[in-house]
Amino acid sequence: MASATTLAQQDQAAAPAAPPAPPAPPASSATPSAPAGGAAAAGHAPSTTRTAPQAGSQTEAEAVSEAVSEAALQQRVAELETRLGDPWDAANPLGHAAILAADARGQVPACAEALLDEAGLNAEFVPAALGGRLVRADALARILRPVFRRDQALGVGYGAFSVLAGASVWTAGSPAQQRWAADLLLGGGRLAVSYRELAHGNAFLRDEFRLSHQRGTTVLNGTKRVIINADRAQGLVVVCRSSDAPGSQAHSTLLLDRAALPAGRVRDLEPYPLVGMRGCRMTGLAFTDCPVPDDSLVGEAGGGVHLALRSFAFTRSVLPAMVLAGGDTALRTALRFAHQHGVGSRPLARNPQARRTLAGAFTDLLICDSLSLAATRAANRALGITGVYAAATKYLLPILLNDAVHELSVLLGSSIYVRDGEFGIFQKHVRDLPVTSLGHAGAAAALSTISPQLPALARRSWSTPDGTDHHLFRLRAPQPALDFTRLATFADRDPLCAELPAAADHLQHTPDTAFAAVLRPLVGHLVAELRRLRAACATLALLSRDCLANPQTYALADRYTLLLAAAACLGVWRHQQHGPDQFVAHPAWLVNALLRICTRLGIGPLPTGAPAPEDEVFTELLRRHDEPTSFDLYDSPLAAG
């Protein structure tokens, strides 16, 4: 089996030579000009950041393509990993010991954000056409994983919510708004976002902002208790009620320059205490008759909900794809503990149940990465079903990650309660994962996005042969640049589910391979489950209110997300058969993944007497731990640990 170093060398040899990355933007305090024309009157200095390149030329398109080649991506990930250093080194100011000490104080390590400023990480959040390095959703997730692997509070507080806030601006903002937001981020600043989620899915106190007109002036009122980075972000993306009319056109989105708002009309609320993610600033804002510029509207008046759903087609897939790196650290810590202390008074080598638990958690990470890969690639490719895949990722990954971490906690015994020392980082990830998973949308909001699409998918896509899309699965293949204006929320076809019958046909027409005796019936069960799902969903009324929120449709949507995960695993395995990723091309992990998914679906009977794949999966897990390399699909080299 090839090592990660060998894979990297092969990819770099095969990929086109990448130009050097854009220079890191300075971590300056220079204030960009305000997004609206009224900023000049407020006395703001003009932006000191670089001018955006001219978009649209063939030369630029070629440069963008090369900048996100596999070799360039690996280089950027490796450079950030090297900067962060060995997490197990007690002397490392960004190691686990320093992270735990800062977490106890409700902070991130003092030098952490300065290091990311120096690395120019904010450029990853800005589209390339505006001077940044954001070109592909899947590439952004991979680049942020080293940060989330160290500290999820750092990943969310420094970058993830600037990504969420920026998505609305890149999707529907005016050229002036996009230029201002890009200059703010490239200059080291932050954006914060306040979504009005469906059913107040992320509002602990069911509060929101309201836009109204008073004596010829547009003013903002109201409070929202939990907004990440609200007290230190200059750019505010605010979704607020702008009409009393019923329906989805009662909210609008604003982009505000915090520095240009009148003093006394906006104030920060006290930090909201949380058990997890203590180092992430969770504060709030209160507006009192605060005048807002006429040109602060992002997109159309009343289009706030639709704009949020379009941007969610990007954010709901890319954030979980970053967060799964926290599961990597939890698994690595549990394996390290089991190596040193054994489990249940037995060495790890003589405890098959412990090995099975570790192999299962590793498999769950691969399932998560397979689904997030397909979802982020769908965003790159502007598929109509992108919003559905993103919602499925946002719903299912937190469930799989939290279940895996809690299964691993059994291996640590009473050490699960330790908050310092070599293994204290595990307990931190147990606390952090549920908070990062909630983010800006909970499970109900994600399922409410999927449910209305199921009847049409059952009639239009699942009932007829539908072509799969190999571009969703090939790990290191080139991808088109992400176009935020083409993010879609209406499912026209389902190329991911099409992988289930395609894989079944592939297995029937290929010679027997390892685990074929168990793989074929597993795929057969999944194809039959898709037929049952189609029959159930075809009885639902098209786009009926009854499809939005009831136990039946939520249960169907839940099963659909598991079928998507199975299809993603099959696609990743099938389309790596002739590539350099030998473990991913081997069926051992796939069989383990499908067995775990079928168990969650409650379908069977599962094959008995067939060879079990846990030994091969556990052997790979040990190799990656010892080298060390990442536990995701990419097997990336890590700092020594």
Side-chain angles (χ1 to χ4, degrees):
M1 192 168 295
S3 69
T5 303
T6 303
L7 295 181
Q9 291 170 345
Q10 291 172 349
D11 291 326
Q12 289 171 355
S28 68
S29 59
T31 303
S33 54
H44 289 284
S47 170
T48 60
T49 54
R50 61 178 179 274
T51 303
Q54 293 297 314
S57 69
Q58 183 64 29
T59 302
E60 182 200 356
E62 292 172 351
V64 165
S65 176
E66 291 183 353
V68 290
S69 69
E70 183 61 26
L73 281 177
Q74 288 186 4
Q75 180 180 357
R76 281 149 71 187
V77 171
E79 287 176 353
L80 184 55
E81 183 72 27
T82 300
R83 284 176 181 267
L84 292 168
D86 182 356
W88 304 98
D89 180 1
N92 180 3
L94 285 172
H96 292 331
I99 289 170
L100 289 171
D103 181 70
R105 302 189 301 269
Q107 302 171 348
V108 295
C111 61
E113 293 186 342
L115 181 145
L116 299 182
D117 284 341
E118 182 183 344
L121 194 65
N122 264 14
E124 305 291 350
F125 315 147
V126 177
L130 292 167
R133 294 195 290 263
L134 174 55
V135 180
R136 285 168 34 190
D138 59 321
L140 174 63
R142 287 174 63 188
I143 290 167
L144 266 289
R145 282 180 186 176
V147 181
F148 277 85
R149 198 176 288 117
R150 295 314 192 285
D151 185 359
Q152 296 188 60
L154 175 62
V156 169
Y158 186 91
F161 269 73
S162 285
V163 172
L164 300 184
S168 294
V169 182
W170 317 140
T171 299
S174 67
Q177 289 172 327
Q178 292 183 359
R179 181 72 266 153
W180 182 84
D183 286 347
L184 174 64
L185 291 175
L186 293 173
R190 287 182 176 80
L191 293 171
V193 59
S194 164
Y195 282 122
R196 192 275 182 185
E197 191 53 71
L198 295 174
H200 295 267
N202 74 323
F204 298 156
L205 302 180
R206 298 180 61 83
D207 47 10
E208 65 179 357
F209 299 122
R210 183 177 186 88
L211 196 66
S212 60
H213 300 280
Q214 298 179 4
R215 296 182 294 277
T217 302
T218 304
V219 297
L220 191 61
N221 282 282
T223 62
K224 194 167 180 67
R225 190 68 182 81
V226 181
I227 305 174
I228 291 179
N229 284 337
D231 61 340
R232 58 178 188 162
Q234 182 181 342
L236 304 176
V237 176
V238 177
V239 181
C240 52
R241 178 171 288 278
S242 54
S243 169
D244 291 326
S248 62
Q249 297 184 337
H251 289 78
S252 299
T253 302
L254 306 176
L255 175 63
L256 302 175
D257 178 5
R258 173 71 183 268
L261 299 178
R265 299 294 186 176
V266 56
R267 62 183 177 87
D268 296 306
L269 304 179
E270 290 296 316
Y272 197 94
L274 294 174
V275 173
M277 296 244 297
R278 293 173 177 170
C280 192
R281 296 287 296 179
M282 299 255 191
T283 60
L285 290 174
F287 291 95
T288 305
D289 292 334
C290 181
V292 298
D294 292 336
D295 50 1
S296 60
L297 182 68
V298 179
E300 298 179 353
V305 171
H306 181 60
L307 174 56
L309 290 175
R310 289 175 63 197
S311 63
F312 288 169
F314 164 71
T315 61
R316 281 177 170 171
S317 62
V318 76
L319 179 58
M322 300 173 189
V323 169
L324 70 84
D328 184 309
T329 298
L331 174 55
R332 199 171 304 273
T333 307
L335 179 55
R336 190 181 182 99
F337 179 91
H339 257 311
Q340 296 183 18
H341 299 282
V343 178
S345 302
R346 285 188 291 171
L348 182 59
R350 293 195 291 110
N351 192 323
Q353 181 59 46
R355 295 199 305 273
R356 191 173 299 113
T357 298
L358 290 162
F362 178 31
T363 303
D364 284 344
L365 288 180
L366 297 175
I367 295 171
C368 289
D369 205 10
S370 298
L371 181 57
S372 69
L373 174 72
T376 52
R377 291 282 180 83
N380 295 339
R381 305 188 67 76
L383 301 184
I385 200 169
T386 296
V388 173
Y389 290 169
T393 304
K394 186 68 178 67
Y395 169 74
L396 187 59
L397 261 63
I399 294 173
L400 297 181
L401 290 173
N402 281 299
D403 286 355
V405 169
H406 283 287
E407 287 181 13
L408 290 170
S409 67
V410 176
L411 305 182
L412 278 78
S414 60
S415 294
I416 180 64
Y417 302 109
V418 174
R419 298 198 175 193
D420 55 12
E422 185 176 4
F423 306 109
I425 197 67
F426 185 92
Q427 197 270 346
K428 181 180 182 332
H429 282 283
V430 170
R431 289 184 286 110
D432 286 356
L433 270 171
V435 182
T436 54
S437 299
L438 176 62
H440 62 286
L447 292 178
S448 293
T449 300
I450 299 170
S451 298
Q453 306 279 3
L454 295 179
L457 286 172
R459 292 170 170 84
R460 184 189 310 116
S461 185
W462 304 338
S463 59
T464 58
D466 203 359
T468 184
D469 186 346
H470 65 85
H471 296 96
L472 300 179
F473 310 113
R474 291 181 177 171
L475 296 183
R476 305 171 195 278
Q479 293 292 310
L482 174 69
D483 184 349
F484 282 89
T485 65
R486 297 180 63 200
L487 289 173
T489 60
F490 182 76
D492 49 356
R493 63 186 186 92
D494 192 343
L496 187 47
C497 267
E499 185 63 25
L500 288 174
D505 183 69
H506 169 80
L507 289 167
Q508 292 299 325
H509 293 88
T510 55
D512 285 352
T513 57
F515 301 105
V518 65
L519 188 55
R520 284 174 180 154
L522 277 174
V523 177
H525 283 311
L526 291 165
V527 172
E529 177 65 16
L530 179 60
R531 287 197 295 266
R532 287 191 291 270
L533 182 68
R534 181 184 68 200
C537 293
T539 65
L540 301 175
L542 285 172
L543 297 179
S544 164
R545 282 182 176 272
D546 295 334
C547 292
L548 288 176
N550 67 61
Q552 179 191 8
T553 56
Y554 276 10
L556 294 173
D558 172 84
R559 298 180 77 79
Y560 173 62
T561 64
L562 288 166
L563 287 174
L564 288 179
C569 292
L570 280 162
V572 168
W573 167 75
R574 196 162 72 93
H575 294 286
Q576 258 60 236
Q577 292 304 300
H578 304 293
D581 302 273
Q582 295 182 22
F583 172 73
V584 180
H586 193 274
W589 77 272
L590 174 67
V591 171
N592 213 31
L594 297 186
L595 283 169
R596 295 176 73 82
I597 292 172
C598 285
T599 298
R600 287 181 178 273
L601 284 166
I603 59 177
L606 302 180
T608 59
E614 284 91 352
D615 289 344
E616 286 85 349
V617 175
F618 185 71
T619 298
E620 173 70 5
L621 175 65
L622 289 181
R623 180 191 70 78
R624 296 193 187 196
H625 172 267
D626 294 342
E627 287 201 8
T629 60
S630 63
F631 293 151
D632 57 15
L633 291 171
Y634 289 93
D635 192 16
S636 304
L638 304 182

